[in-house]
Structures are given as C-alpha cells and as structure tokens.
Amino acid sequence: MLHAVALFAGLLPVVVFAHGTEEHCEAVMASVADAGFSDDVTVTCEGGAAIISSDTYPDHDLMTGIVGTNEQVPVPAPGYAAPIPLAPVLGDTPQTRDSALGVAVNGVPIFDYTAGGEMTEADLAHYQAQHDTLQTQQLDICGGHAGRGDDYHYHVKPVCMIAEMENAGPAAIIGWAFDGFPIYGDENPDGSAITENALDVCNGQMDATFGYRYHTSDDAPYIIQCIMGEVADIRQLPRISPLSNAATGDGIAPGRPPRGGVEGLVFTEDENGTRSMNYAYQGEDYYIRYTPSGTSNCYNFETRTITNGGEVVTGEYCR
C-alpha cells in the first residue's frame, strides 16, 4: 500500500537548493561516473541544467519475466536528452504526467508505477491496483518494460541496474528527477532505515545536502510517482519520439495486453543486431523482431502479434 503522506500540498515550505550550480553539476556528473556508466551516458551542464544524454537502451537483461505484455519491444532512442535543473526549488504542489518523471544514472527514463498515464494529481494519495505495472505482471525482472513508443523505461526500483553499479550502496544516487533532486534506494544515504511515514506522496523527504531527495520502496509507489520541485511546464519535459513508418510516416499502433497474459516471453539479440521477442499465447507462437535496415536509426520489422490477430506484418520503422 502507499506510504502515508508526511508532506503534501500546502504543508511543505519552499526550499531553494543551498549549493551552487557548479556543485550540483558536479554531483550529477559524479553520479553517472561513479556508477560506471560514463561509456554509455554523457553529462553536460549548460543553460542552468545538467543534460543526461543516452540512447535509453541498457545493457542488462530486458523483458524477461513479463506476462502481461503490451506487445511492444525496446528499441534504442539515440539522442535522448534529460535536463536536470542545477538550482532546484522545492515547491508545495506535487505534479505528475503520463511520461517520465526522471532518469536513472544509466540513462533509462523513470516513470511512475502505473501503466499508461492513469496517474493524475488527484490520484496521488490513492493506490491504483488495477494500473500497477508490477502487480499486473507487465514488468521484467529488472523493473522495466517497453512502452507505447517501444521505449524501455523503469516503473519500479531498477534492480538490475543497481546490481551493475560500481558504487552500489545506500549512499549511491540511482537517478535524478526532472525537478533536479536526486533519487536514492530503499535506505537513507547513511545506511539507516527510512522510518515509517517519513516519505511523502511523491516518495521523497527532506535532505541535508540537496534540500530534498526521493527514494525507492518495496511497497507502492515503489519509486517516484510525482515531483515536488518546481518546473516551468511539466508538459514540456522530454519524451521519446515513437517509431514511424519510413514510407508513410505512420506510427506503430500500441499493443494491448492479452487477457490472461502470455507464456515464455524471451527477448534476444544476435551478433548481427537482430533483436527478437518471442512468446506463446493459448498454444500459438507470436513474435516481434527487428534488424538494422542500413539507414541510421531505422529498422526492418517483422511481427506476428496477438493484437494484430496473428497476421504477419512487415515494414521499415525509424526513430
């Protein structure tokens, strides 16, 4: 169940981050470098923000363990740029949206726990079991899945990423919210347990270094479900562009989780760059596979999905 709300709209003082922008820039850079992800993630500080850039495609296991698949596959998204404000200001009103609220230190976006943008500000204090991606078995063993844009992202604690981190431990920052505040794991940075009711509706609490910080948790909401810091316009925060047909410009229609879920879902990649997601449903085999087409950021797809009634569909799609 949701953590009790300790801090909520109207009860939280406005707090300005006490350190300078240079120190905040260094903290964001260090969080990526110390975790060991600098080869795949870059951080540049400009225009009052630390820009975390990646292709959003992690090198850990993907899609294994999913039962309630939405029949989407993870496809790299080169050029993804997530801005982290260098002078975060803690506001008094939680905000959320139907897309990422932050980014992990390996460059993978972080969403709230719901599946398809069901969360609104009015819903924040009420647990939505029917939309819980973990409980409805829509997530892989690493805490993520591919969304409607065939973009991989996390909805709960990114356990496989954390296992890869060179500095894994309670003091390690595992990500940054788009309001500029850091995200930690299940414990306080000093290793002590988080006391009952300490976390607010966004899964955050006050912090002596940054002014405020977020946490993951075993119980819902599992990870940040809203941001408490001020942002100019939450609707303008980055989103990953969906795939589009190279010939027509049409996008790929989002899949629909089949009733009862699928069996044996496996996602693989071979030495030629072909990625394939295979699974079974009611005795029939289905798949989504794609191979680099030769055009930058474009792929040749062949799919046989439950959503499309088992019809084999082909086409070149580009990011």
Side-chain angles (χ1 to χ4, degrees), residues 246 290-301 315-318:
Y290 66 92
T291 304
S293 69
T295 301
S296 180
N297 298 331
C298 294
Y299 304 90
N300 292 322
F301 272 75
E316 182 184 18
Y317 288 85
C318 304

Side-chain angles (χ1 to χ4, degrees), residues 13-19 87-91 181 206 209-212 230:
V14 173
V15 177
V16 180
F17 177 47
H19 289 186
V89 177
L90 194 59
F181 294 108
M206 304 303 289
T209 301
F210 295 100
Y212 182 80
E230 295 182 358

Side-chain angles (χ1 to χ4, degrees), residues 21-150:
T21 58
E22 182 176 348
E23 289 88 350
H24 207 72
C25 172
E26 292 173 353
V28 178
M29 287 183 169
S31 68
V32 173
D34 293 349
F37 296 123
S38 294
D39 288 344
D40 300 311
V41 180
T42 61
V43 182
T44 56
C45 294
E46 57 187 52
I51 310 299
I52 298 177
S53 301
S54 72
D55 67 0
T56 74
Y57 195 92
D59 61 4
H60 60 61
D61 193 11
L62 297 174
M63 310 303 279
T64 298
I66 291 177
V67 174
T69 178
N70 56 8
E71 298 197 291
Q72 312 285 154
V73 292
V75 179
Y80 181 72
I84 309 302
L86 295 179
V89 177
L90 194 59
D92 60 3
T93 303
Q95 300 182 75
T96 191
R97 66 173 190 152
D98 64 340
S99 190
L101 296 171
V103 62
V105 291
N106 66 347
V108 175
I110 297 172
F111 284 52
D112 67 46
Y113 72 87
T114 62
E118 294 89 1
M119 188 74 72
T120 68
E121 281 77 5
D123 299 319
L124 291 173
H126 307 286
Y127 171 57
Q128 301 181 69
Q130 72 276 25
H131 299 308
D132 186 326
T133 51
L134 180 63
Q135 300 304 322
T136 53
Q137 299 181 283
Q138 297 182 50
L139 302 182
D140 62 23
I141 59 173
C142 297
H145 71 172
R148 288 170 290 181
D150 293 287

Side-chain angles (χ1 to χ4, degrees), residues 35-287:
F37 296 123
S38 294
D39 288 344
D40 300 311
V41 180
T42 61
V43 182
T44 56
C45 294
E46 57 187 52
I51 310 299
I52 298 177
S53 301
S54 72
D55 67 0
T56 74
Y57 195 92
D59 61 4
H60 60 61
D61 193 11
L62 297 174
M63 310 303 279
T64 298
I66 291 177
V67 174
T69 178
N70 56 8
E71 298 197 291
Q72 312 285 154
V73 292
V75 179
Y80 181 72
I84 309 302
L86 295 179
V89 177
L90 194 59
D92 60 3
T93 303
Q95 300 182 75
T96 191
R97 66 173 190 152
D98 64 340
S99 190
L101 296 171
V103 62
V105 291
N106 66 347
V108 175
I110 297 172
F111 284 52
D112 67 46
Y113 72 87
T114 62
E118 294 89 1
M119 188 74 72
T120 68
E121 281 77 5
D123 299 319
L124 291 173
H126 307 286
Y127 171 57
Q128 301 181 69
Q130 72 276 25
H131 299 308
D132 186 326
T133 51
L134 180 63
Q135 300 304 322
T136 53
Q137 299 181 283
Q138 297 182 50
L139 302 182
D140 62 23
I141 59 173
C142 297
H145 71 172
R148 288 170 290 181
D150 293 287
D151 55 313
Y152 189 82
H153 54 255
Y154 300 122
H155 282 274
V156 300
K157 178 169 60 178
V159 292
C160 296
M161 182 203 76
I162 292 172
E164 292 181 337
M165 292 174 63
E166 295 176 1
N167 64 337
I173 293 171
I174 66 170
W176 295 87
F178 287 153
D179 57 6
F181 294 108
I183 306 168
Y184 290 85
D186 290 353
E187 300 172 298
N188 290 312
D190 63 4
S192 62
I194 297 173
T195 59
E196 186 176 2
N197 300 334
L199 300 183
D200 64 23
V201 71
C202 294
N203 239 27
Q205 63 177 335
M206 304 303 289
D207 181 83
T209 301
F210 295 100
Y212 182 80
R213 66 177 185 260
Y214 299 95
H215 285 277
T216 61
S217 56
D218 288 336
D219 298 326
Y222 311 117
I223 203 163
I224 59 173
Q225 68 169 351
C226 50
I227 55 177
M228 285 301 305
E230 295 182 358
V231 292
D233 186 348
I234 194 168
R235 296 168 299 179
Q236 299 302 314
L237 292 173
R239 297 175 184 265
I240 294 175
S241 299
L243 295 170
S244 60
N245 188 288
T248 66
D250 296 332
I252 298 178
R256 300 184 299 274
R259 184 180 298 275
V262 302
E263 297 178 340
L265 190 150
V266 177
F267 184 79
T268 59
E269 180 178 358
D270 66 21
E271 64 277 5
N272 297 318
T274 297
R275 297 176 172 119
S276 182
M277 190 172 81
N278 297 271
Y279 47 100
Y281 181 67
Q282 297 183 349
E284 292 285 332
D285 292 331
Y286 297 90
Y287 61 86

